[in-house]
Amino acid sequence: MTKYAIYTKWYWKNGLATHEEIQKGMRENLLGKTEAEDIIWWSIDDHHHQSVIIFSSEDVAIKENDKRQAMRDKTSQDSDITMIEEYMGPIVSQLSAL
């Protein structure tokens, strides 16, 4: 099966949380609660972050979609953030797997 990636870009109305707060939120909301192989966030400026989620397959990503959307709704309200882009598709190359 082909691995599957979901890329997102987010806008934080009141500015990004600190790196420590983001790490804490990821641990509390995602660690042990997702089938994702990896989730990476990075800041691009004071009001935007981007992320990529890697799943073992499209089927696993689709199966987890409802849970992911519910978590996004909650964190969007709690932190006053808005998703402004989302793209998803099969991974065609991955250096760490070569």
Side-chain angles (χ1 to χ4, degrees):
M1 280 194 267
T2 301
K3 291 187 180 186
Y4 197 76
I6 300 174
Y7 154 84
T8 58
K9 181 177 180 181
W10 296 81
Y11 171 72
W12 295 63
K13 181 179 178 185
N14 300 313
L16 283 172
T18 66
H19 291 191
E20 293 80 12
E21 291 169 326
I22 291 171
Q23 280 288 77
K24 181 182 179 211
M26 187 177 281
R27 279 192 306 274
E28 291 174 355
N29 294 310
L30 297 168
L31 192 61
K33 299 176 183 176
T34 179
E35 295 297 318
E37 291 186 358
D38 206 353
I39 301 171
I40 302 167
W41 286 23
W42 62 97
S43 58
I44 55 175
D45 61 33
D46 291 341
H47 288 273
H48 295 88
H49 91 267
Q50 294 174 304
S51 68
V52 66
I53 308 171
I54 307 294
F55 287 97
S56 60
S57 70
E58 182 177 7
D59 290 342
V60 173
I62 290 169
K63 182 178 130 188
E64 195 169 282
N65 186 60
D66 289 343
K67 183 170 41 170
R68 187 172 54 255
Q69 295 306 329
M71 191 233 15
R72 286 175 172 175
D73 290 345
K74 181 183 181 328
T75 56
S76 291
Q77 285 183 337
D78 292 350
S79 301
D80 203 7
I81 63 176
T82 305
M83 183 170 49
I84 56 177
E85 290 183 347
E86 179 177 41
Y87 300 100
M88 55 189 78
I91 294 175
V92 296
S93 181
Q94 182 178 352
L95 181 62
S96 61
L98 296 176

